[in-house]
């Protein structure tokens, strides 16, 4: 099947809103009793719950039936602007160029490789979509693997260094548990190795004889790292490391130097890293720095003047992090400061190569990338001309490359692939995402403006609009305001083909970079978490007020959107300032936060205590979370904006029950709230490019309808 319909399109429309039964249920913590009559919806396997979700889908289908034509037009616009048969820019690894194909009419991509022309060949071949590539080998056609499934996600994909074996991990439910299989690339035969129930990110050992993978506990937390020797029974797999503390995630991978297996453990605020020699995986892991509460660090390995060093980014007495170097055999010994802590410059990542390292950091609200000189510690920063952009290195597997691959885009510049030639520091354009239909970047404008928060803090907003409708702010326009504001995650000014369907109808798109995100450094994050979490919500409200007061939009022309923790933001601002918004789009929204964070048996709850606080054991945290949790604070006697909540039945990060309960509660107070539940999908929504386009077309059609530009 090529173009699958969503549950709401498959459902028989119904015109009356489902009435969720109120079933007596209460909880008591710290002397506070809460009635929760919709908690029965948590029983995922109950036929009554499934029937209710299907009724919600049917109601949403009926309420949005008039948008069917608009949805189809938007889907056609996304499809029409996309070069469906295309290839990625090949990346070199070993004796091969690796790349991906997309094929018109196919939901999923195809992973391929072609041999190098010569050992010193570092210039990627220029491939022509739709034409054969000399020596091409198809490694994995996800369309073939996905046959007979409603959902397909690839969580692991790796090829051994010698190019002989391939592993791939597949999830066909959306619950982010993957089954790993192994294929012999010389014969095309699938080997008998099959490892079920793994997390994502498995990889081969440097010698290709073993697979390193992780498994999750009952709360979906990756907690155990394993070694599987290819060709042996899974029952004989060797446990390399187990992390019992429920606050910590575990992951493992090899350094680019292939000297160490790095075992990383991390909570939201604390890190611990262990090393195992890559040539002796049976050796006991050795800790780099023992964990200390509140100290985060990351590690990479480099060889400088013949000596093994570890380069460590850490935040000990360095809020925005410091880069130090230690001798690999004595990581607890003397530290040499390579890049001292500089307030306002948030060091994010370092990747070591043979002759240099790449470094990524944030300054003045934008991502920055550069090359670090091992000898001097100096950084050569790459400069870009646009006022807003996103840039990052990626796809560089080789230890000693003469050039580096990086990606770049902005609100107006489509995804662009460069190679940075080290000999002359020149950026070589390899490919810019083709946008069909006559797209011209010069037809659009992007800018940054600033809103003043209640406490005087300046909050950055990033905006993009189409020039032919006039400059943003000259006259009120329909405006789509996006926000997130958690986990120090930064919302970058990235290009979107789907967004053009809004911009070309006169909508201004904006991102409110509220506190709790990472856009302005670590303090920005600290000021939007735990007991300061309300700043995230009030910042978003203040950004909306600024856009209204400055003439960018009006209260009747403003729709807000956020997903996951950004969905919590949506629920909170709906309660705080319902009068500011015409509509709110909440994607997999974390809107029953207090109920979830009170229950340590639920997936990921204990890990989240570092982000939100522990309401189970701390009455002050309980009271604070109860004061803002959206489901707890739905208000009587106010007029809510139109609300669309989108969720997935198999989501393990934000359970479907949260938006289902929220919508039922909103309807109690007269809100016009719709629920759309994907019945076979996870946190990231549907799988397959056409399904994803239809999903976004559904959301944008609803959004444009709320903004009053649906028929434009």
């Amino acid at each position: 099947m090529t173009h699958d319909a969503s549950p709401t399109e498959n459902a028989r429309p119904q015109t009356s809103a489902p009435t969720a039964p109120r079933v007596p249920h209460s909880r008591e913590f710290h002397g506070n009793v809460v009635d929760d009559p919709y908690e029965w919806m948590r029983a995922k396997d109950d036929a009554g719950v499934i029937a209710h979700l299907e009724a919600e889908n049917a109601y949403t289908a009926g309420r949005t039936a008039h948008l069917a034509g608009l949805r189809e037009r938007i889907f056609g616009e996304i499809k029409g602007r996309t070069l469906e048969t295309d290839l990625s820019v090949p990346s070199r690894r070993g004796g091969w160029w690796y790349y991906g194909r997309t094929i018109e009419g196919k939901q999923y991509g195809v992973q391929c490789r072609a041999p190098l022309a010569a050992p010193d060949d570092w210039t990627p071949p220029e491939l022509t979509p739709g034409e054969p590539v000399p020596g091409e080998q198809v490694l994995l056609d996800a369309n073939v693997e996905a046959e007979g499934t409603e959902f397909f996600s690839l969580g692991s994909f790796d090829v051994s260094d010698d190019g002989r074996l391939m592993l791939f991990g597949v999830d066909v439910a959306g619950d982010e548990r993957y089954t790993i299989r192994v294929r012999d690339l010389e014969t095309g035969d699938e080997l008998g190795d099959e490892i079920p129930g793994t997390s994502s990110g498995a990889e081969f050992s440097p010698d290709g004889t073993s697979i390193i993978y992780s498994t999750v506990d009952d709360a979906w937390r990756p907690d155990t790292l394993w070694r599987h020797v290819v060709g042996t029974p899974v029952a004989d797999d060797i446990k390399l490391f187990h992390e019992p503390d429920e606050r910590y995630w575990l992951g493992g991978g090899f350094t680019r130097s292939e000297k160490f297996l790095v075992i990383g453990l991390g909570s939201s605020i604390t890190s611990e890293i262990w090393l195992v020699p890559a040539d002796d995986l049976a050796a006991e892991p050795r800790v780099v720095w023992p964990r200390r509460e509140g100290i985060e660090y990351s590690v990479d390995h480099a060889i400088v003047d013949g000596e093994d060093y570890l380069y460590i980014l850490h935040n000990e007495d360095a809020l925005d992090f410091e880069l130090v170097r230690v001798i690999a055999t004595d990581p607890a010994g003397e530290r040499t400061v390579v890049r001292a802590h500089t307030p306002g410059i948030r060091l994010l990542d370092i990747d070591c190569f043979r002759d240099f390292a790449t470094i990524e950091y944030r300054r003045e609200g934008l991502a920055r990338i550069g090359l670090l000189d091992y000898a001097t510690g100096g950084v050569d920063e790459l400069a870009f001309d646009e006022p807003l952009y996103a840039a990052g290195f990626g796809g560089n597997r080789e230890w000693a490359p003469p050039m580096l691959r990086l990606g770049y885009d902005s609100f107006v510049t489509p995804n662009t692939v460069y190679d940075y030639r080290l000999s002359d520091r020149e950026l070589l354009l390899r490919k810019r995402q083709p946008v069909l239909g006559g797209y011209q970047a010069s037809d659009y404008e992007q800018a940054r403006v600033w809103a003043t928060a209640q406490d005087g803090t300046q909050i950055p907003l990033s905006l993009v609009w189409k020039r032919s409708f006039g400059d943003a702010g000259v006259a009120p326009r329909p405006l789509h305001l996006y926000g997130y504001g958690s986990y120090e995650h930064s919302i970058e000014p990235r290009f979107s083909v789907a967004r053009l369907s809004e911009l070309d109808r006169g909508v201004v798109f904006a991102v409110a970079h509220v506190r709790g995100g990472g856009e302005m450094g670590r303090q920005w994050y600290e000021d939007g978490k735990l007991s300061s979490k309300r700043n995230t919500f009030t910042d978003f409200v203040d950004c909306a007020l600024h856009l209204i007061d400055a003439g960018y939009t009006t209260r009747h022309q403003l729709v807000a959107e956020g997903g996951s923790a950004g969905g919590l933001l949506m629920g909170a601002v709906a309660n705080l300032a319902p009068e500011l918004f015409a509509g709110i789009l909440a994607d997999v929204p974390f809107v029953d936060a207090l109920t979830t964070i009170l229950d340590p048996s639920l997936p990921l709850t204990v890990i989240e205590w570092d982000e939100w606080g522990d309401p189970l054991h701390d009455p002050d945290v309980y009271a604070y979370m109860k004061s803002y949790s959206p489901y707890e604070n739905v208000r009587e006697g106010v007029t809510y904006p139109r609300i669309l909540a989108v969720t997935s039945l198999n989501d393990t990060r934000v359970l479907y029950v949260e938006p289902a309960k929220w919508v039922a509660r909103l309807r109690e107070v007269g809100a016009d709230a719709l629920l759309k539940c994907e019945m076979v999908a996870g946190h990231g929504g549907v799988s397959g490019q056409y399904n994803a386009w239809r999903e976004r077309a559904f959301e944008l059609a609803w959004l444009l309808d709320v903004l009053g530009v649906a028929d434009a």
Side-chain angles (χ1 to χ4, degrees):
M1 179 180 285
T2 301
H3 303 338
D4 293 334
S6 71
T8 51
E9 291 172 289
N10 286 328
R12 172 179 288 182
Q14 67 180 52
T15 56
S16 59
T19 301
R22 292 177 59 88
V23 178
H25 176 87
S26 64
R27 65 164 189 259
E28 181 176 356
F29 290 93
H30 311 297
N32 178 251
V33 179
V34 174
D35 294 323
D36 190 355
Y38 300 121
E39 180 62 13
W40 62 270
M41 295 184 189
R42 192 173 298 277
K44 178 181 175 181
D45 296 328
D46 184 89
V49 172
I50 298 301
H52 176 74
L53 295 175
E54 290 173 342
E56 289 283 8
N57 281 339
Y59 176 60
T60 298
R63 285 290 309 280
T64 59
H66 66 291
L67 299 175
L70 179 60
R71 287 197 295 268
E72 200 59 35
R73 289 197 296 277
I74 294 173
F75 173 80
E77 290 164 7
I78 298 171
K79 187 174 183 291
R81 291 184 174 113
T82 303
L83 184 62
E84 297 179 69
T85 297
D86 202 3
L87 303 98
S88 65
V89 180
S91 295
R92 176 175 160 149
R93 185 182 176 196
W96 299 86
W97 290 107
Y98 289 85
Y99 55 95
R101 285 185 177 274
T102 57
I103 302 170
E104 184 174 358
K106 300 291 187 180
Q107 289 276 20
Y108 303 101
V110 180
Q111 302 300 318
C112 307
R113 70 179 180 182
L116 300 181
D120 61 350
D121 177 16
W122 287 93
T123 301
E126 294 185 12
L127 306 182
T128 302
E131 294 189 6
V133 176
E136 178 177 271
Q137 181 181 15
V138 173
L139 304 178
L140 185 77
D141 185 339
N143 300 287
V144 174
E145 303 299 331
E147 286 180 2
T149 68
E150 293 185 62
F151 182 91
F152 179 87
S153 176
L154 195 63
S156 295
F157 180 82
D158 194 28
V159 176
S160 58
D161 278 359
D162 62 10
R164 188 174 65 85
L165 297 177
M166 176 187 75
L167 69 82
F168 58 105
V170 170
D171 165 23
V172 294
D175 60 3
E176 300 182 56
R177 292 194 180 189
Y178 303 87
T179 297
I180 295 172
R181 300 199 294 274
V182 181
R183 187 168 294 167
D184 187 321
L185 294 178
E186 294 179 347
T187 66
D189 296 333
E190 204 159 292
L191 306 183
D193 307 70
E194 186 170 297
I195 313 170
T198 73
S199 186
S200 59
E203 62 180 271
F204 283 107
S205 59
D207 62 10
T209 63
S210 300
I211 295 171
I212 305 300
Y213 69 93
S214 60
T215 54
V216 300
D217 62 12
D218 291 339
W220 260 258
R221 174 184 67 98
D223 70 332
T224 306
L225 194 70
W226 301 85
R227 176 191 179 193
H228 170 75
V229 178
V230 177
T232 66
V234 174
D236 295 340
D237 286 2
I238 302 158
K239 184 187 294 185
L240 296 178
F241 203 97
H242 174 72
E243 175 51 55
D245 192 324
E246 294 177 303
R247 297 177 301 161
Y248 287 79
W249 286 52
L250 170 149
F254 293 92
T255 58
R256 185 176 284 100
S257 65
E258 300 189 339
K259 185 70 176 283
F260 296 106
L261 169 65
V262 178
I263 303 172
L265 309 167
S267 71
S268 294
I269 61 171
T270 306
S271 306
E272 184 176 73
I273 293 174
W274 298 69
L275 301 179
V276 179
D279 59 0
D280 184 13
L281 294 176
E284 285 293 318
R286 180 169 56 92
V287 70
V288 177
W289 291 348
R291 69 186 68 174
R292 287 185 291 155
E293 192 77 5
I295 303 300
E296 301 169 61
Y297 69 99
S298 60
V299 171
D300 204 358
H301 167 250
I303 303 171
V304 181
D305 297 329
E307 182 80 53
D308 285 314
Y309 288 101
L310 301 179
Y311 279 75
I312 303 177
L313 277 175
H314 73 90
N315 69 338
E316 182 179 2
D317 299 321
L319 183 67
D320 281 318
F321 286 68
E322 177 180 71
L323 177 63
V324 300
R325 187 175 80 178
V326 300
I327 296 173
T329 55
D330 184 23
E334 183 179 356
R335 305 179 188 180
T336 299
V337 175
V338 179
R339 301 292 295 178
H341 172 247
T342 303
I345 300 179
R346 169 67 163 96
L347 301 181
L348 297 172
D349 191 32
I350 182 169
D351 257 337
C352 293
F353 296 79
R354 188 188 67 184
D355 302 317
F356 59 88
T358 62
I359 188 166
E360 302 191 14
Y361 47 99
R362 297 194 71 85
R363 187 181 70 245
E364 298 169 341
L366 289 177
R368 317 283 177 160
I369 58 176
L371 268 62
L372 176 81
D373 187 301
Y374 286 141
T376 67
V379 171
D380 182 9
E381 181 177 302
L382 278 68
F384 301 100
D385 294 334
E386 293 185 276
L388 300 175
Y389 66 85
F393 294 109
N396 298 293
R397 296 290 296 266
E398 297 292 313
W399 177 232
M403 57 184 69
L404 288 170
R405 177 66 47 80
L406 65 98
Y408 174 93
D409 67 328
S410 74
F411 277 149
V412 302
T413 301
N415 298 324
T416 305
V417 176
Y418 290 106
D419 277 336
Y420 186 57
R421 191 165 56 204
L422 301 171
S423 60
D424 58 5
R425 297 297 198 258
E426 183 178 352
L427 275 176
L428 306 174
L429 175 64
R430 297 306 189 195
K431 182 172 184 175
R432 178 159 289 144
Q433 173 190 358
V435 182
L436 308 182
Y439 175 80
Q440 296 290 330
S442 59
D443 291 341
Y444 303 83
E445 183 64 59
Q446 59 179 352
R448 171 152 293 171
V449 299
W450 299 81
T452 303
Q454 295 174 10
D455 61 3
T457 301
Q458 294 294 294
I459 312 297
L461 287 130
S462 299
L463 289 79
V464 60
W465 64 93
K466 191 169 187 179
R467 291 175 182 268
S468 61
F469 291 90
D471 285 339
V474 173
R477 299 255 294 278
L479 193 142
H480 176 188
L481 180 62
Y482 186 89
Y484 187 75
S486 292
Y487 304 109
E488 203 180 0
H489 177 66
S490 299
I491 303 298
E492 305 287 7
R494 295 197 174 278
F495 186 80
S496 166
V497 165
R499 188 185 300 131
L500 297 177
S501 292
E502 297 181 77
L503 303 183
D504 287 356
R505 288 173 168 84
V507 177
V508 177
F509 178 81
V511 175
H513 302 287
V514 295
R515 282 175 283 187
E519 287 88 345
M520 301 294 287
R522 173 49 69 90
Q523 191 62 54
W524 201 252
Y525 169 51
E526 297 291 340
D527 289 344
K529 64 183 290 196
L530 297 173
S531 62
S532 297
K533 189 62 205 172
R534 290 184 69 89
N535 284 338
T536 305
F537 317 138
T538 56
D539 283 357
F540 193 87
V541 169
D542 290 333
C543 286
L545 284 169
H546 173 79
L547 292 168
I548 293 167
D549 294 343
Y552 289 91
T553 190
T554 67
R555 296 165 190 251
H556 305 295
Q557 295 175 289
L558 177 60
V559 169
E561 180 186 6
S564 195
L568 167 62
L569 170 61
M570 293 300 101
V573 300
N575 292 331
L576 280 174
E579 72 283 353
L580 290 185
F581 307 96
I584 288 179
L585 173 57
D587 190 23
V588 291
F590 184 41
V591 283
D592 192 16
L594 183 57
T595 304
T596 295
I597 300 299
L598 280 167
D599 189 350
S601 71
L602 292 177
L604 312 181
T605 286
V606 174
I607 294 169
E608 297 287 345
W609 285 346
D610 286 334
E611 178 77 17
W612 311 97
D614 176 6
L616 182 61
H617 302 102
D618 189 328
D620 292 335
V621 172
Y622 176 90
Y624 187 68
M625 287 195 70
K626 189 172 184 290
S627 75
Y628 69 71
S629 184
Y631 177 63
E632 304 279 343
N633 290 280
V634 171
R635 295 165 58 189
E636 303 276 355
V638 301
T639 300
Y640 276 90
R642 291 168 60 183
I643 290 173
L644 172 62
V646 179
T647 187
S648 298
L649 185 63
N650 294 329
D651 191 341
T652 59
R653 296 173 184 254
V654 179
L655 302 187
Y656 72 91
V657 66
E658 298 203 24
K661 290 170 60 177
W662 182 51
V663 166
R665 176 69 183 119
L666 284 166
R667 290 220 188 99
E668 279 190 351
V669 300
D672 181 358
L674 300 178
L675 177 68
K676 181 173 183 285
C677 182
E678 296 293 339
M679 304 306 284
V680 185
H683 194 62
V686 295
S687 67
Q689 66 171 349
Y690 294 105
N691 291 340
W693 294 348
R694 287 201 177 278
E695 177 74 10
R696 192 55 179 165
F698 181 93
E699 295 172 350
L700 289 179
W702 178 88
L703 185 149
L704 291 170
D705 185 49
V706 174
L707 289 174
V709 294
D711 295 323

